[in-house]
Amino acid sequence: MQTTRLGRSGLEVTRLCLGGNVFGWTCDEASSYRVLDAYVDAGGNFIDTADVYSRWAAGHTGGESEATLGRWMQARGNRARLIIATKVGSAMGVEPNMGGLSRLHIMRAVDESLRRLRTDYIDLYQAHFDDERIPLEETLRAFDDLVRQGKVRYIGASNYHAWRLVQALWVSDRHGYAAYISLQPRYNLVDRGEFEGDLEATCRAFGLGVIPYAPLGGGFLTGKYSREGPLPATERAPKVQQRYMHARGWAVLEAVQRVATERGATPAQVALAWHLARPSITAPIVSATSVEQLNELLGALDLALSAEELERLTST
């Protein structure tokens, strides 16, 4: 699998990042191991998770994804081959100081993530959400201390606005702190307004790697949703309906399906190939609950869309 540098850092990551949000949730332990094995066997090295995955599920407390990943890495003995990214900042409980980007929470959360991941370092530690309640100096000093301690190699941001990203980079430069090397935004062929424009321009200007989540719109761009048919019986379906099942969403899906039919590919492969052709994108994050699903997604790496096809998709 082709690799590329993550922003201006020295990290070499594969062009598709495997999302761990499903591990320990909709993908049980045995299935998670099979997907992870298949991803690594295909040459993949970049895996993204978060401490909060999957706290939203009934009976879960958070950390299920990290714990599954940690047990798998320990069983396979392959930690050194992988680039592990996780996130901090989401609420991990209802008590005060159990979320956000305070020094107190970051220092506590990183040790919990390390314990669950069964490792002594995290390759990419990301602020899951911006926390405007906390001074950037406090957050970035905490991250810098973790880098100096060796618990974290690099830091990144997720769900930041352009102006806050610029502020964070300025604070790091002013104080000599470790700086964000990457951004994880929501981005796909339907959800484009949040990233394209100032945020994308900022990433390009400062050389940040971009690892977008939801590149398939929660499954909407795979073609499993239709105007006439019933919603799939999944936990994501109601949110997908609310966010993507509108006039423009259907128009984009139809354009993706037309290109897929013409190229003998699947809609998911076309949607991901569009991402991979974008100059600002480093590695979209994809999730899979089966080896068959993963193999389909990996097929996007071999699909080179023409300039005309890219324009048709982009202009929809």
Side-chain angles (χ1 to χ4, degrees):
M1 197 183 304
Q2 180 187 2
T3 63
T4 187
R5 286 176 62 200
L6 184 60
R8 292 177 178 169
S9 77
L11 284 181
E12 285 281 335
V13 298
T14 41
R15 290 299 315 278
L16 281 183
C17 176
L18 184 62
N21 59 311
V22 297
F23 300 147
W25 175 36
T26 56
C27 194
D28 63 25
E29 186 112 346
S31 298
S32 297
Y33 281 28
R34 286 192 290 271
V35 169
L36 286 160
D37 286 340
Y39 175 71
V40 170
D41 288 345
N45 75 346
F46 193 17
I47 303 171
D48 176 79
T49 184
D51 57 2
V52 75
Y53 299 162
S54 50
R55 185 170 179 262
W56 57 81
H60 288 208
T61 59
E64 287 81 10
S65 173
E66 287 183 333
T68 300
L69 182 55
R71 289 189 291 270
W72 171 76
M73 288 191 295
Q74 186 176 66
R76 300 297 186 261
N78 61 1
R79 173 67 184 92
R81 297 173 53 196
L82 303 171
I83 302 300
I84 301 298
T86 192
K87 298 182 281 292
V88 61
S90 293
M92 294 297 288
V94 297
E95 297 83 1
N97 303 308
M98 292 196 70
L101 297 177
S102 69
R103 181 182 184 85
L104 174 62
H105 181 63
I106 289 172
M107 292 300 184
R108 180 164 53 196
V110 72
D111 286 337
E112 289 298 305
S113 286
L114 289 169
R115 177 184 60 80
R116 288 188 293 261
L117 288 165
R118 305 190 181 200
T119 184
D120 56 3
Y121 69 97
I122 294 165
D123 297 289
L124 179 65
Y125 201 38
Q126 302 159 101
H128 204 159
F129 297 93
D130 187 15
D131 185 354
E132 295 185 37
R133 306 167 305 157
I134 307 299
L136 283 167
E137 287 82 359
E138 177 176 338
T139 297
L140 292 165
R141 172 60 189 273
F143 281 145
D144 184 70
D145 284 346
L146 294 180
V147 172
R148 292 176 187 272
Q149 292 168 11
K151 292 181 178 181
V152 169
R153 300 296 191 248
Y154 299 91
I155 60 171
S158 178
N159 298 298
Y160 269 52
H161 295 298
W163 67 274
R164 283 285 283 181
L165 193 55
V166 170
Q167 278 191 341
L169 294 169
W170 180 82
V171 167
S172 290
D173 182 66
R174 179 187 179 191
H175 294 284
Y177 296 157
Y180 292 143
I181 65 163
S182 61
L183 176 72
Q184 188 174 139
R186 179 190 295 274
Y187 186 50
N188 56 59
L189 271 161
V190 181
D191 269 325
R192 294 171 57 185
E194 295 177 19
F195 177 65
E196 292 182 7
D198 289 346
L199 193 53
E200 184 176 21
T202 298
C203 290
R204 299 194 72 173
F206 288 93
L208 299 185
V210 179
I211 47 177
Y213 69 90
L216 299 176
F220 179 75
L221 293 172
T222 67
K224 69 179 180 182
Y225 292 82
S226 66
R227 290 178 189 262
E228 299 80 16
L231 287 178
T234 65
E235 295 188 43
R236 288 182 175 183
K239 291 184 179 179
V240 170
Q241 181 182 38
Q242 182 180 20
R243 192 172 191 102
Y244 297 107
M245 296 174 71
H246 48 67
R248 182 169 175 275
W250 292 122
V252 169
L253 179 58
E254 288 168 5
V256 169
Q257 290 173 321
R258 282 195 296 272
V259 173
T261 299
E262 293 166 4
R263 294 297 302 272
T266 68
Q269 290 168 346
V270 170
L272 289 174
W274 177 84
H275 270 83
L276 294 167
R278 302 284 292 177
S280 59
I281 302 302
T282 305
I285 300 170
V286 296
S287 299
T289 57
S290 69
V291 173
E292 292 75 20
Q293 187 180 42
L294 174 69
N295 288 336
E296 176 194 353
L297 301 177
L298 293 175
L301 295 165
D302 299 319
L303 179 62
L305 298 176
S306 69
E308 185 271 336
E309 289 166 336
L310 291 169
E311 175 59 26
R312 282 163 56 190
L313 295 169
T314 304
S315 61
T316 301

